[in-house]
Amino acid sequence: MAGAMDDALEELQREKKMRKLQELFRGRFSEVQARRLLTHHGWALEITVDFVFEAQHNQVKEIAGTEDDRWLEVLNRRAWRDLARQKRIDSIDIRQFACRPCDSVWWRRVPGRKTVSKCHRCRIRYDAVPKESEWGVAEFTCGNCGNVFKGFGQMNNTFSPCYVCNDIAQPSKIFPKMRPSGDRRRHTHSCYASNCFNRADGDILPGICVHPKSLGRKVVTPSDQHISSGSTVDTFLTQDGLASISSASSRPNLSDIDEDN
């Protein structure tokens, strides 16, 4: 039993190294190629990265088992080359995207320099929803008693009663939609918006309730359509942990996150 668990943990660490190698080289190596390169170097990630930089190109292709040399794009672009050399990738943000025509909402890991994602339905590229307008499962912080609780809300646009002192609280941050964890909320959502299905006692306040039972749509604040400068290429980032649009896949490495699910 212990041996099987050790093997599973070891394989998990190997998969993490494979994905890190793929991220460092912007997806120019497939999973199979990343595994071959790391296996050849005893699963030493830093040694593998140095090998790709320093070895003859034909050697890299032979060990990776490919005639594809797209990974040379990383070596030929200074910013990418320097980041890979330092064994790190760009700063990463998890951002919300929303397509109004498709009424589709998803979250995606994106580089801080390029907060862009494509709607999987209409294939139009969008800029991220501004952080000050994000909505979904929110963390509320009561300014009166300091109580911190979760509920549905939109930044700067939802007012909910504190479950401890009943004072009015607003969202302090929005959580990306993740895979279900099994945790259940202790309180039924309630807020002061006129459209709330379980409106709190008291005056109706400006704003909106974004609980699914209160909304007749999914998109609250749509993303702006992205205007490309033509200077960037598609970005490779794993999307582990985020809820996937594909219920058939247990590994949504490159999936967008759809709030339809």
Side-chain angles (χ1 to χ4, degrees), residues 149-161:
F149 60 95
K150 290 182 181 178
F152 285 85
Q154 181 178 33
M155 293 297 292
N156 305 304
N157 202 29
T158 300
F159 302 88
S160 288

Side-chain angles (χ1 to χ4, degrees), residues 7 19 22 34 48 60 67 70 72 74 99 170 183 197 250:
D7 289 344
R19 292 171 192 157
Q22 288 180 285
T48 303
V60 177
E67 289 300 316
R70 290 189 308 132
L72 291 175
V74 177
C99 173
Q170 284 190 276
D183 296 336
F197 76 99
S250 61

Side-chain angles (χ1 to χ4, degrees), residues 62-103:
E62 180 180 352
I63 292 172
T66 180
E67 289 300 316
D68 187 351
D69 57 4
R70 290 189 308 132
W71 48 272
L72 291 175
E73 296 174 22
V74 177
L75 275 62
N76 292 332
R77 296 187 62 160
R78 181 176 177 179
W80 291 2
R81 183 176 67 244
D82 291 347
L83 287 170
R85 270 292 196 186
Q86 296 165 30
K87 284 71 171 180
R88 63 185 180 88
I89 58 177
D90 296 332
S91 60
I92 303 303
D93 288 337
I94 300 178
R95 298 296 300 272
Q96 186 178 44
F97 297 86
C99 173
R100 186 193 289 278
C102 297
D103 197 28

